[in-house]
Each structure stands twice: as C-alpha cells, then as structure tokens.
Amino acid sequence: MKARVQVMLKTGVLDPQGEAVRHALGALGFDGVEGVRQGKLIEIDLAGDDPEAAKRQVTEMCEKLLANTVIESYKIDLN
Amino acid sequence: MKAAVIVFPGSNCDRDMAVALRAAGAEVEMVWHKDAGLPRGVDLVAVPGGFSFGDYLRCGAIAAQSPVCRAVIDHVHKGGYALGVCNGFQVLTETGLLPGALMRNAGIRFVCRTVPLAVGTNDSAFTAGYARGQTLQIPVAHHDGNYFVDQATREMLEAEDRIAFTYGDEVNGSVGRIAGVLSENRRVLGMMPHPERAVDAGHGGTDGRAMLDGLVGALVAA
C-alpha cells in the first residue's frame, strides 16, 4: 500500500517561498497568478494492506515527524 | 559547572559554543547525537547552530527525534537548563520544549550580519547580566529564522515575560520581531542570534559574554 502525504503551510501562515514563486511567474509574463503556495509531497510504501491501520499509522507519523502542526497541515491519501 | 554541547551531523557551531562556554568557566563535554544519555552531573545542555541532518524535512526536525534529544527532554523535565542557538533553537521548538516554529526568512535570503538585539527580559539566568531594553550587537546567520507563533501563544509569551530578545530592525519577518524565547520555567532559552560568536573582541564584539558568564556563574552558585 502506498500513502501520499501532502504537507502545506496552514492557511494564514505567510509562505515566503510561494510568494517568491508567484513573483517569478509574474516576471516570466504569466498573468493572473493571484497566489502560489508551496508544500511537500511525501510518498510512503507500507507493508500492510489494512487501510484503517495504515491511516492510523500515517496520521501518527504526520503528528510526530512529517508535519509541524504549529505551522503546517497535512492530508493523507492511501492507495 | 558542567555543560554538554550536542553534536549532530551537520552541526557547525558546536566548537565555537564549547570554546565560549569554557571561556566563561564551564567544564564542557561534547555529546554525539546517537548517545542515549547525557554525561553525569550536567547542569546545562547547549544545542548549537548548524544544519543538523542537512535541514532535511524541516530545520531541526530529524535532530529532534535523535536519541540524545530524548535525554535532553528528560534533563529539561527534571529542571535542567538548556540553551539552543540558531539550529539549536529550531531543534528545541521541534522537540516541543519551546513554543512556536522557525520558518523560511520572509525575504527568502540567508541573512548573515550583526544585528541590534533588544533585551526583552532580564528575569532569567541567561539574561540577568543585561538591563531590560538594553541593545546588544549580536551576529545572526540563518535562512530559517522567521519565528511564528499564533496570536494566543504570542500574548501568553508577552504576559509571562518570556520574550528574551527582539530584533532592533527587520531581519527575517518574525512575529513581533521575536529573536529568542524562554520556557515556562525560564530555564530553557532558544534564540536565533549567536551569543557564542560575540565573546571575543578580536571577532567584532563581546556583547554575548554577559549571557554566558552570567549563566555559568548562576549555575555554579546553584
């Protein structure tokens, strides 16, 4: 089973890297880019095949290491 | 007074910290990140600057999960002192020993210069040698020093007089220009500027000396 964890800065936390990318896109002539936010995608290969157990395990991974919940939110997709 | 300086792969201010603490009168032992315990009788743990584990995932995140950090957490829970500078501050926030998080500098650039630093409180063993409101000149060197706390936590830090230092000018986008914070029991200090780089006149200034001398003195007396 594969878990994909998307980690993003929380809404309301200024994302300086996303802002820099937005400026760069504007400089390249892309009009109408109103906002850019940059995050991380983490893929995890899991041995088990129980989605419930995997969800619990990956949630714990996010809380303990993969995301810093002071500034980041996370989303887990399993397949 | 015995101090332990933690060394992670990628630490690069560990020896500067040891030199500065020895100059202040401490007996210093270097402790490798894989060590599960601290040396017997350690009064102060110093978590130095650098790029522990290459800043992978987030600055300080991997270091915060190392065996030695569990020992550091125990040390602090037993009332021990800890000082985290730069990457060390990032590590201490990642362990949860200090509130908040350090994000990429608002200006994106790595900032490496001496900055004016205002003393927010002198009510701690770290800052007792300064006057409240005094301005120090201390170097910073970081890419991720943009301190973030939510509004409620910021108000709590202000109400509890736990903001040890603020920047005198705009450095990295930190909330309230916060440069250093104390733990609830005032025995853990995390700060982005490098006091250990400001202890020798030949290196541009000695404003960090009062912190390290005062800290070592206070722990000798304790």
Side-chain angles (χ1 to χ4, degrees):
Chain A
M1 186 175 291
K2 202 180 268 288
R4 290 162 73 94
V5 178
Q6 180 191 292
V7 180
M8 298 293 292
L9 285 172
K10 284 179 178 171
T11 313
V13 176
L14 178 72
D15 174 7
Q17 292 178 100
E19 272 300 287
V21 172
R22 188 177 68 82
H23 279 291
L25 290 173
L28 283 170
F30 292 102
D31 293 332
V33 180
E34 292 182 343
V36 175
R37 292 182 73 76
Q38 181 184 315
K40 296 184 191 103
L41 183 65
I42 302 164
E43 288 189 346
I44 305 166
D45 290 315
L46 296 164
D49 54 8
D50 174 3
E52 284 293 307
K55 183 82 188 274
R56 270 199 306 278
Q57 191 187 25
V58 176
T59 300
E60 200 182 338
M61 290 178 192
C62 288
E63 292 288 332
K64 284 193 172 164
L65 179 65
L66 301 180
N68 179 340
T69 55
V70 175
I71 47 172
E72 294 170 329
S73 59
Y74 58 86
K75 201 174 106 205
I76 300 166
D77 285 311
L78 294 167
N79 56 48
Chain B
M1 181 278 195
K2 199 164 172 181
V5 176
I6 310 297
V7 186
F8 299 106
S11 294
N12 63 11
C13 303
D14 45 326
R15 282 180 288 177
D16 305 48
M17 182 63 86
V19 167
L21 285 169
R22 283 190 187 114
E27 180 192 332
V28 178
E29 263 194 66
M30 311 304 275
V31 179
W32 184 234
H33 69 109
K34 285 187 177 169
D35 291 357
L38 295 168
R40 199 173 287 274
V42 162
D43 302 292
L44 168 75
V45 173
V47 189
F51 299 85
S52 58
F53 297 90
D55 282 348
Y56 292 173
L57 191 63
R58 293 179 307 278
C59 301
I62 310 285
Q65 304 302 325
S66 62
V68 79
C69 272
R70 281 190 278 279
V72 173
I73 292 168
D74 284 347
H75 164 80
V76 168
H77 285 166
K78 285 184 203 146
Y81 283 79
L83 168 64
V85 169
C86 200
N87 186 224
F89 184 15
Q90 295 162 343
V91 172
L92 292 180
T93 61
E94 284 284 345
T95 60
L97 290 173
L98 289 172
L102 283 311
M103 307 199 328
R104 179 55 42 104
N105 292 344
I108 301 292
R109 291 192 185 159
F110 192 98
V111 180
C112 186
R113 61 183 168 95
T114 296
V115 299
L117 204 60
V119 177
T121 178
N122 56 1
D123 179 16
S124 78
F126 304 92
T127 55
Y130 302 116
R132 197 179 282 262
Q134 182 182 346
T135 299
L136 316 175
Q137 298 293 327
I138 305 279
V140 297
H142 60 247
H143 209 164
D144 298 82
N146 182 355
Y147 185 69
F148 178 85
V149 271
D150 60 32
Q151 186 61 25
T153 311
R154 180 184 172 183
E155 284 168 11
M156 178 192 76
L157 291 174
E158 286 168 351
E160 294 177 359
D161 193 28
R162 286 167 56 187
I163 299 171
F165 299 105
T166 54
Y167 300 108
D169 61 23
E170 187 50 57
V171 171
N172 52 28
S174 293
V175 164
R177 290 190 178 171
I178 292 172
V181 294
L182 291 160
S183 62
E184 197 176 355
N185 71 0
R186 316 188 83 75
R187 293 185 173 197
V188 181
L189 170 68
M191 61 190 293
M192 289 310 295
H194 288 271
E196 83 283 8
R197 293 190 189 179
V199 295
D200 185 325
H203 295 164
T206 57
D207 282 359
R209 213 184 261 169
M211 175 188 300
L212 299 175
D213 287 354
L215 179 61
V216 171
L219 295 184
V220 166

PDB file of all heavy atoms in Angstrom, chain A residues 9 12-17 20 40 42 64-68 70-72, chain B residues 57-58 61-62 65 94 100-108 146 148-149:
ATOM      1  N   LEU A   9       1.782  24.687   4.381  1.00  0.00           N
ATOM      2  CA  LEU A   9       1.664  25.674   5.451  1.00  0.00           C
ATOM      3  C   LEU A   9       0.191  25.958   5.669  1.00  0.00           C
ATOM      4  O   LEU A   9      -0.596  25.982   4.719  1.00  0.00           O
ATOM      5  CB  LEU A   9       2.398  26.963   5.073  1.00  0.00           C
ATOM      6  CG  LEU A   9       3.922  26.908   5.163  1.00  0.00           C
ATOM      7  CD1 LEU A   9       4.521  28.176   4.588  1.00  0.00           C
ATOM      8  CD2 LEU A   9       4.383  26.727   6.601  1.00  0.00           C
ATOM      9  N   GLY A  12      -3.258  31.236   6.326  1.00  0.00           N
ATOM     10  CA  GLY A  12      -2.999  32.345   7.249  1.00  0.00           C
ATOM     11  C   GLY A  12      -1.532  32.460   7.632  1.00  0.00           C
ATOM     12  O   GLY A  12      -1.108  33.493   8.125  1.00  0.00           O
ATOM     13  N   VAL A  13      -0.755  31.388   7.389  1.00  0.00           N
ATOM     14  CA  VAL A  13       0.688  31.482   7.626  1.00  0.00           C
ATOM     15  C   VAL A  13       1.328  31.921   6.315  1.00  0.00           C
ATOM     16  O   VAL A  13       1.164  31.265   5.289  1.00  0.00           O
ATOM     17  CB  VAL A  13       1.270  30.125   8.070  1.00  0.00           C
ATOM     18  CG1 VAL A  13       2.778  30.218   8.227  1.00  0.00           C
ATOM     19  CG2 VAL A  13       0.634  29.672   9.379  1.00  0.00           C
ATOM     20  N   LEU A  14       2.026  33.045   6.331  1.00  0.00           N
ATOM     21  CA  LEU A  14       2.651  33.574   5.113  1.00  0.00           C
ATOM     22  C   LEU A  14       3.678  32.578   4.582  1.00  0.00           C
ATOM     23  O   LEU A  14       4.494  32.067   5.342  1.00  0.00           O
ATOM     24  CB  LEU A  14       3.325  34.922   5.413  1.00  0.00           C
ATOM     25  CG  LEU A  14       4.047  35.547   4.217  1.00  0.00           C
ATOM     26  CD1 LEU A  14       3.048  36.082   3.202  1.00  0.00           C
ATOM     27  CD2 LEU A  14       4.981  36.651   4.672  1.00  0.00           C
ATOM     28  N   ASP A  15       3.606  32.294   3.290  1.00  0.00           N
ATOM     29  CA  ASP A  15       4.521  31.347   2.659  1.00  0.00           C
ATOM     30  C   ASP A  15       5.518  32.122   1.791  1.00  0.00           C
ATOM     31  O   ASP A  15       5.229  32.433   0.642  1.00  0.00           O
ATOM     32  CB  ASP A  15       3.689  30.358   1.819  1.00  0.00           C
ATOM     33  CG  ASP A  15       4.564  29.410   1.012  1.00  0.00           C
ATOM     34  OD1 ASP A  15       5.795  29.429   1.193  1.00  0.00           O
ATOM     35  OD2 ASP A  15       3.996  28.664   0.207  1.00  0.00           O
ATOM     36  N   PRO A  16       6.675  32.469   2.341  1.00  0.00           N
ATOM     37  CA  PRO A  16       7.622  33.310   1.590  1.00  0.00           C
ATOM     38  C   PRO A  16       8.103  32.650   0.299  1.00  0.00           C
ATOM     39  O   PRO A  16       8.327  33.325  -0.702  1.00  0.00           O
ATOM     40  CB  PRO A  16       8.784  33.539   2.554  1.00  0.00           C
ATOM     41  CG  PRO A  16       8.514  32.772   3.783  1.00  0.00           C
ATOM     42  CD  PRO A  16       7.166  32.130   3.683  1.00  0.00           C
ATOM     43  N   GLN A  17       8.236  31.310   0.320  1.00  0.00           N
ATOM     44  CA  GLN A  17       8.707  30.627  -0.897  1.00  0.00           C
ATOM     45  C   GLN A  17       7.635  30.676  -1.984  1.00  0.00           C
ATOM     46  O   GLN A  17       7.931  30.931  -3.158  1.00  0.00           O
ATOM     47  CB  GLN A  17       9.087  29.186  -0.575  1.00  0.00           C
ATOM     48  CG  GLN A  17      10.311  29.123   0.312  1.00  0.00           C
ATOM     49  CD  GLN A  17      10.686  27.692   0.675  1.00  0.00           C
ATOM     50  OE1 GLN A  17      11.571  27.110   0.086  1.00  0.00           O
ATOM     51  NE2 GLN A  17       9.977  27.142   1.640  1.00  0.00           N
ATOM     52  N   ALA A  20       7.680  34.048  -3.510  1.00  0.00           N
ATOM     53  CA  ALA A  20       8.810  34.237  -4.437  1.00  0.00           C
ATOM     54  C   ALA A  20       8.494  33.580  -5.777  1.00  0.00           C
ATOM     55  O   ALA A  20       8.811  34.123  -6.843  1.00  0.00           O
ATOM     56  CB  ALA A  20      10.086  33.659  -3.837  1.00  0.00           C
ATOM     57  N   LYS A  40       4.938  20.129   0.409  1.00  0.00           N
ATOM     58  CA  LYS A  40       5.757  18.922   0.208  1.00  0.00           C
ATOM     59  C   LYS A  40       4.839  17.744  -0.071  1.00  0.00           C
ATOM     60  O   LYS A  40       3.731  17.683   0.468  1.00  0.00           O
ATOM     61  CB  LYS A  40       6.521  18.559   1.494  1.00  0.00           C
ATOM     62  CG  LYS A  40       7.521  19.552   1.955  1.00  0.00           C
ATOM     63  CD  LYS A  40       8.250  18.993   3.177  1.00  0.00           C
ATOM     64  CE  LYS A  40       9.070  20.060   3.836  1.00  0.00           C
ATOM     65  NZ  LYS A  40       8.476  20.598   5.048  1.00  0.00           N
ATOM     66  N   ILE A  42       5.054  13.628   0.249  1.00  0.00           N
ATOM     67  CA  ILE A  42       5.875  12.531   0.771  1.00  0.00           C
ATOM     68  C   ILE A  42       5.170  11.210   0.446  1.00  0.00           C
ATOM     69  O   ILE A  42       4.000  11.044   0.787  1.00  0.00           O
ATOM     70  CB  ILE A  42       6.042  12.679   2.306  1.00  0.00           C
ATOM     71  CG1 ILE A  42       6.684  14.031   2.637  1.00  0.00           C
ATOM     72  CG2 ILE A  42       6.882  11.538   2.881  1.00  0.00           C
ATOM     73  CD1 ILE A  42       6.536  14.445   4.090  1.00  0.00           C
ATOM     74  N   LYS A  64       3.942  13.146  14.592  1.00  0.00           N
ATOM     75  CA  LYS A  64       5.230  13.058  15.288  1.00  0.00           C
ATOM     76  C   LYS A  64       6.394  13.613  14.491  1.00  0.00           C
ATOM     77  O   LYS A  64       7.378  14.063  15.072  1.00  0.00           O
ATOM     78  CB  LYS A  64       5.534  11.592  15.634  1.00  0.00           C
ATOM     79  CG  LYS A  64       4.732  11.080  16.808  1.00  0.00           C
ATOM     80  CD  LYS A  64       5.273   9.764  17.297  1.00  0.00           C
ATOM     81  CE  LYS A  64       4.589   9.343  18.588  1.00  0.00           C
ATOM     82  NZ  LYS A  64       4.807   7.929  18.890  1.00  0.00           N
ATOM     83  N   LEU A  65       6.318  13.545  13.167  1.00  0.00           N
ATOM     84  CA  LEU A  65       7.508  13.924  12.393  1.00  0.00           C
ATOM     85  C   LEU A  65       7.232  14.657  11.083  1.00  0.00           C
ATOM     86  O   LEU A  65       7.841  15.689  10.819  1.00  0.00           O
ATOM     87  CB  LEU A  65       8.339  12.650  12.090  1.00  0.00           C
ATOM     88  CG  LEU A  65       9.611  12.881  11.264  1.00  0.00           C
ATOM     89  CD1 LEU A  65      10.626  13.722  12.026  1.00  0.00           C
ATOM     90  CD2 LEU A  65      10.246  11.549  10.858  1.00  0.00           C
ATOM     91  N   LEU A  66       6.309  14.128  10.274  1.00  0.00           N
ATOM     92  CA  LEU A  66       6.233  14.608   8.886  1.00  0.00           C
ATOM     93  C   LEU A  66       5.741  16.042   8.776  1.00  0.00           C
ATOM     94  O   LEU A  66       6.137  16.763   7.868  1.00  0.00           O
ATOM     95  CB  LEU A  66       5.348  13.669   8.056  1.00  0.00           C
ATOM     96  CG  LEU A  66       5.829  12.211   7.997  1.00  0.00           C
ATOM     97  CD1 LEU A  66       4.882  11.379   7.142  1.00  0.00           C
ATOM     98  CD2 LEU A  66       7.250  12.118   7.456  1.00  0.00           C
ATOM     99  N   ALA A  67       4.879  16.462   9.704  1.00  0.00           N
ATOM    100  CA  ALA A  67       4.388  17.845   9.685  1.00  0.00           C
ATOM    101  C   ALA A  67       4.675  18.501  11.027  1.00  0.00           C
ATOM    102  O   ALA A  67       4.693  17.822  12.051  1.00  0.00           O
ATOM    103  CB  ALA A  67       2.889  17.867   9.410  1.00  0.00           C
ATOM    104  N   ASN A  68       4.916  19.781  10.999  1.00  0.00           N
ATOM    105  CA  ASN A  68       4.994  20.559  12.238  1.00  0.00           C
ATOM    106  C   ASN A  68       3.657  21.282  12.356  1.00  0.00           C
ATOM    107  O   ASN A  68       3.412  22.260  11.658  1.00  0.00           O
ATOM    108  CB  ASN A  68       6.144  21.552  12.186  1.00  0.00           C
ATOM    109  CG  ASN A  68       6.239  22.390  13.456  1.00  0.00           C
ATOM    110  OD1 ASN A  68       5.270  22.510  14.201  1.00  0.00           O
ATOM    111  ND2 ASN A  68       7.396  22.958  13.710  1.00  0.00           N
ATOM    112  N   VAL A  70       2.360  23.224  14.264  1.00  0.00           N
ATOM    113  CA  VAL A  70       2.307  24.643  14.645  1.00  0.00           C
ATOM    114  C   VAL A  70       2.075  25.495  13.395  1.00  0.00           C
ATOM    115  O   VAL A  70       1.340  26.478  13.430  1.00  0.00           O
ATOM    116  CB  VAL A  70       3.624  25.073  15.338  1.00  0.00           C
ATOM    117  CG1 VAL A  70       3.633  26.572  15.626  1.00  0.00           C
ATOM    118  CG2 VAL A  70       3.826  24.293  16.627  1.00  0.00           C
ATOM    119  N   ILE A  71       2.695  25.093  12.291  1.00  0.00           N
ATOM    120  CA  ILE A  71       2.622  25.911  11.068  1.00  0.00           C
ATOM    121  C   ILE A  71       2.067  25.155   9.863  1.00  0.00           C
ATOM    122  O   ILE A  71       1.734  25.773   8.858  1.00  0.00           O
ATOM    123  CB  ILE A  71       4.030  26.471  10.683  1.00  0.00           C
ATOM    124  CG1 ILE A  71       5.090  25.367  10.749  1.00  0.00           C
ATOM    125  CG2 ILE A  71       4.400  27.661  11.546  1.00  0.00           C
ATOM    126  CD1 ILE A  71       6.450  25.780  10.216  1.00  0.00           C
ATOM    127  N   GLU A  72       1.996  23.816   9.956  1.00  0.00           N
ATOM    128  CA  GLU A  72       1.641  23.042   8.770  1.00  0.00           C
ATOM    129  C   GLU A  72       0.397  22.187   8.993  1.00  0.00           C
ATOM    130  O   GLU A  72       0.126  21.732  10.105  1.00  0.00           O
ATOM    131  CB  GLU A  72       2.802  22.112   8.372  1.00  0.00           C
ATOM    132  CG  GLU A  72       4.039  22.867   7.910  1.00  0.00           C
ATOM    133  CD  GLU A  72       5.266  21.969   7.756  1.00  0.00           C
ATOM    134  OE1 GLU A  72       5.386  20.971   8.509  1.00  0.00           O
ATOM    135  OE2 GLU A  72       6.103  22.263   6.907  1.00  0.00           O
TER     136      GLU A  72
ATOM    137  N   LEU B  57      13.677  17.592   5.604  1.00  0.00           N
ATOM    138  CA  LEU B  57      12.291  17.645   6.062  1.00  0.00           C
ATOM    139  C   LEU B  57      11.939  19.042   6.570  1.00  0.00           C
ATOM    140  O   LEU B  57      11.192  19.753   5.933  1.00  0.00           O
ATOM    141  CB  LEU B  57      11.976  16.567   7.104  1.00  0.00           C
ATOM    142  CG  LEU B  57      10.495  16.408   7.432  1.00  0.00           C
ATOM    143  CD1 LEU B  57       9.696  15.951   6.226  1.00  0.00           C
ATOM    144  CD2 LEU B  57      10.290  15.439   8.590  1.00  0.00           C
ATOM    145  N   ARG B  58      12.443  19.423   7.737  1.00  0.00           N
ATOM    146  CA  ARG B  58      12.363  20.799   8.249  1.00  0.00           C
ATOM    147  C   ARG B  58      13.602  20.993   9.105  1.00  0.00           C
ATOM    148  O   ARG B  58      14.117  20.033   9.672  1.00  0.00           O
ATOM    149  CB  ARG B  58      11.128  21.003   9.175  1.00  0.00           C
ATOM    150  CG  ARG B  58       9.780  20.920   8.531  1.00  0.00           C
ATOM    151  CD  ARG B  58       8.680  21.127   9.572  1.00  0.00           C
ATOM    152  NE  ARG B  58       8.816  20.228  10.721  1.00  0.00           N
ATOM    153  CZ  ARG B  58       8.397  18.967  10.752  1.00  0.00           C
ATOM    154  NH1 ARG B  58       7.783  18.449   9.712  1.00  0.00           N
ATOM    155  NH2 ARG B  58       8.582  18.220  11.825  1.00  0.00           N
ATOM    156  N   ALA B  61      14.059  19.054  12.506  1.00  0.00           N
ATOM    157  CA  ALA B  61      13.029  18.022  12.711  1.00  0.00           C
ATOM    158  C   ALA B  61      13.628  16.643  12.952  1.00  0.00           C
ATOM    159  O   ALA B  61      13.158  15.892  13.816  1.00  0.00           O
ATOM    160  CB  ALA B  61      12.083  17.982  11.515  1.00  0.00           C
ATOM    161  N   ILE B  62      14.658  16.301  12.196  1.00  0.00           N
ATOM    162  CA  ILE B  62      15.250  14.964  12.344  1.00  0.00           C
ATOM    163  C   ILE B  62      16.071  14.925  13.634  1.00  0.00           C
ATOM    164  O   ILE B  62      16.004  13.964  14.401  1.00  0.00           O
ATOM    165  CB  ILE B  62      16.146  14.617  11.130  1.00  0.00           C
ATOM    166  CG1 ILE B  62      15.410  14.860   9.810  1.00  0.00           C
ATOM    167  CG2 ILE B  62      16.668  13.195  11.237  1.00  0.00           C
ATOM    168  CD1 ILE B  62      14.366  13.863   9.431  1.00  0.00           C
ATOM    169  N   GLN B  65      14.356  14.098  16.833  1.00  0.00           N
ATOM    170  CA  GLN B  65      13.969  12.695  17.075  1.00  0.00           C
ATOM    171  C   GLN B  65      15.167  11.821  17.439  1.00  0.00           C
ATOM    172  O   GLN B  65      15.030  10.613  17.557  1.00  0.00           O
ATOM    173  CB  GLN B  65      13.301  12.119  15.812  1.00  0.00           C
ATOM    174  CG  GLN B  65      12.099  12.912  15.330  1.00  0.00           C
ATOM    175  CD  GLN B  65      11.011  13.028  16.374  1.00  0.00           C
ATOM    176  OE1 GLN B  65      10.789  12.098  17.142  1.00  0.00           O
ATOM    177  NE2 GLN B  65      10.346  14.165  16.424  1.00  0.00           N
ATOM    178  N   GLU B  94      11.184  22.050  17.704  1.00  0.00           N
ATOM    179  CA  GLU B  94      10.710  20.780  17.134  1.00  0.00           C
ATOM    180  C   GLU B  94      10.496  19.716  18.214  1.00  0.00           C
ATOM    181  O   GLU B  94       9.664  18.834  18.048  1.00  0.00           O
ATOM    182  CB  GLU B  94      11.686  20.263  16.064  1.00  0.00           C
ATOM    183  CG  GLU B  94      11.599  21.015  14.740  1.00  0.00           C
ATOM    184  CD  GLU B  94      10.368  20.620  13.899  1.00  0.00           C
ATOM    185  OE1 GLU B  94       9.745  19.588  14.185  1.00  0.00           O
ATOM    186  OE2 GLU B  94      10.034  21.358  12.956  1.00  0.00           O
ATOM    187  N   GLY B 100       6.218  27.593  19.295  1.00  0.00           N
ATOM    188  CA  GLY B 100       6.431  28.246  18.013  1.00  0.00           C
ATOM    189  C   GLY B 100       7.210  27.400  17.030  1.00  0.00           C
ATOM    190  O   GLY B 100       7.498  26.224  17.283  1.00  0.00           O
ATOM    191  N   ALA B 101       7.542  28.012  15.898  1.00  0.00           N
ATOM    192  CA  ALA B 101       8.295  27.327  14.844  1.00  0.00           C
ATOM    193  C   ALA B 101       9.098  28.369  14.083  1.00  0.00           C
ATOM    194  O   ALA B 101       8.738  29.547  14.052  1.00  0.00           O
ATOM    195  CB  ALA B 101       7.338  26.608  13.895  1.00  0.00           C
ATOM    196  N   LEU B 102      10.195  27.926  13.483  1.00  0.00           N
ATOM    197  CA  LEU B 102      11.045  28.819  12.693  1.00  0.00           C
ATOM    198  C   LEU B 102      10.842  28.492  11.226  1.00  0.00           C
ATOM    199  O   LEU B 102      11.102  27.366  10.791  1.00  0.00           O
ATOM    200  CB  LEU B 102      12.521  28.646  13.072  1.00  0.00           C
ATOM    201  CG  LEU B 102      13.041  29.273  14.372  1.00  0.00           C
ATOM    202  CD1 LEU B 102      12.620  30.725  14.505  1.00  0.00           C
ATOM    203  CD2 LEU B 102      12.692  28.487  15.590  1.00  0.00           C
ATOM    204  N   MET B 103      10.395  29.489  10.463  1.00  0.00           N
ATOM    205  CA  MET B 103      10.108  29.275   9.053  1.00  0.00           C
ATOM    206  C   MET B 103      11.174  29.970   8.192  1.00  0.00           C
ATOM    207  O   MET B 103      11.993  30.730   8.693  1.00  0.00           O
ATOM    208  CB  MET B 103       8.744  29.864   8.708  1.00  0.00           C
ATOM    209  CG  MET B 103       7.644  29.366   9.617  1.00  0.00           C
ATOM    210  SD  MET B 103       6.027  29.599   8.895  1.00  0.00           S
ATOM    211  CE  MET B 103       6.232  31.070   7.957  1.00  0.00           C
ATOM    212  N   ARG B 104      11.106  29.726   6.886  1.00  0.00           N
ATOM    213  CA  ARG B 104      11.987  30.411   5.937  1.00  0.00           C
ATOM    214  C   ARG B 104      11.889  31.928   6.127  1.00  0.00           C
ATOM    215  O   ARG B 104      10.803  32.461   6.343  1.00  0.00           O
ATOM    216  CB  ARG B 104      11.551  29.986   4.517  1.00  0.00           C
ATOM    217  CG  ARG B 104      12.291  30.581   3.338  1.00  0.00           C
ATOM    218  CD  ARG B 104      13.785  30.405   3.344  1.00  0.00           C
ATOM    219  NE  ARG B 104      14.321  29.132   3.745  1.00  0.00           N
ATOM    220  CZ  ARG B 104      14.817  28.212   2.927  1.00  0.00           C
ATOM    221  NH1 ARG B 104      14.797  28.409   1.631  1.00  0.00           N
ATOM    222  NH2 ARG B 104      15.344  27.096   3.386  1.00  0.00           N
ATOM    223  N   ASN B 105      13.052  32.609   6.089  1.00  0.00           N
ATOM    224  CA  ASN B 105      13.066  34.068   6.242  1.00  0.00           C
ATOM    225  C   ASN B 105      12.087  34.709   5.261  1.00  0.00           C
ATOM    226  O   ASN B 105      11.989  34.284   4.106  1.00  0.00           O
ATOM    227  CB  ASN B 105      14.463  34.627   5.947  1.00  0.00           C
ATOM    228  CG  ASN B 105      15.483  34.218   6.996  1.00  0.00           C
ATOM    229  OD1 ASN B 105      15.114  33.777   8.087  1.00  0.00           O
ATOM    230  ND2 ASN B 105      16.754  34.368   6.676  1.00  0.00           N
ATOM    231  N   ALA B 106      11.399  35.735   5.721  1.00  0.00           N
ATOM    232  CA  ALA B 106      10.396  36.390   4.871  1.00  0.00           C
ATOM    233  C   ALA B 106      11.028  36.912   3.582  1.00  0.00           C
ATOM    234  O   ALA B 106      10.402  36.925   2.536  1.00  0.00           O
ATOM    235  CB  ALA B 106       9.724  37.518   5.636  1.00  0.00           C
ATOM    236  N   GLY B 107      12.273  37.356   3.643  1.00  0.00           N
ATOM    237  CA  GLY B 107      12.953  37.878   2.459  1.00  0.00           C
ATOM    238  C   GLY B 107      13.610  36.810   1.607  1.00  0.00           C
ATOM    239  O   GLY B 107      14.338  37.123   0.669  1.00  0.00           O
ATOM    240  N   ILE B 108      13.379  35.534   1.971  1.00  0.00           N
ATOM    241  CA  ILE B 108      13.913  34.365   1.259  1.00  0.00           C
ATOM    242  C   ILE B 108      15.422  34.194   1.415  1.00  0.00           C
ATOM    243  O   ILE B 108      15.936  33.092   1.425  1.00  0.00           O
ATOM    244  CB  ILE B 108      13.566  34.396  -0.270  1.00  0.00           C
ATOM    245  CG1 ILE B 108      12.058  34.443  -0.468  1.00  0.00           C
ATOM    246  CG2 ILE B 108      14.122  33.224  -1.018  1.00  0.00           C
ATOM    247  CD1 ILE B 108      11.331  33.188  -0.055  1.00  0.00           C
ATOM    248  N   ASN B 146      12.547  32.880  10.789  1.00  0.00           N
ATOM    249  CA  ASN B 146      11.273  33.607  10.790  1.00  0.00           C
ATOM    250  C   ASN B 146      10.353  32.961  11.819  1.00  0.00           C
ATOM    251  O   ASN B 146       9.678  31.969  11.533  1.00  0.00           O
ATOM    252  CB  ASN B 146      10.720  33.516   9.360  1.00  0.00           C
ATOM    253  CG  ASN B 146       9.428  34.255   9.172  1.00  0.00           C
ATOM    254  OD1 ASN B 146       8.846  34.778  10.107  1.00  0.00           O
ATOM    255  ND2 ASN B 146       8.964  34.284   7.933  1.00  0.00           N
ATOM    256  N   PHE B 148       7.458  32.000  14.123  1.00  0.00           N
ATOM    257  CA  PHE B 148       5.997  32.063  14.058  1.00  0.00           C
ATOM    258  C   PHE B 148       5.383  31.477  15.324  1.00  0.00           C
ATOM    259  O   PHE B 148       5.767  30.389  15.757  1.00  0.00           O
ATOM    260  CB  PHE B 148       5.470  31.281  12.843  1.00  0.00           C
ATOM    261  CG  PHE B 148       3.965  31.282  12.774  1.00  0.00           C
ATOM    262  CD1 PHE B 148       3.292  32.338  12.171  1.00  0.00           C
ATOM    263  CD2 PHE B 148       3.221  30.255  13.348  1.00  0.00           C
ATOM    264  CE1 PHE B 148       1.899  32.371  12.139  1.00  0.00           C
ATOM    265  CE2 PHE B 148       1.833  30.280  13.320  1.00  0.00           C
ATOM    266  CZ  PHE B 148       1.170  31.338  12.709  1.00  0.00           C
ATOM    267  N   VAL B 149       4.449  32.228  15.900  1.00  0.00           N
ATOM    268  CA  VAL B 149       3.551  31.686  16.933  1.00  0.00           C
ATOM    269  C   VAL B 149       2.172  32.263  16.657  1.00  0.00           C
ATOM    270  O   VAL B 149       2.058  33.358  16.098  1.00  0.00           O
ATOM    271  CB  VAL B 149       3.906  32.100  18.380  1.00  0.00           C
ATOM    272  CG1 VAL B 149       4.871  31.163  19.030  1.00  0.00           C
ATOM    273  CG2 VAL B 149       4.361  33.537  18.458  1.00  0.00           C
TER     274      VAL B 149
END
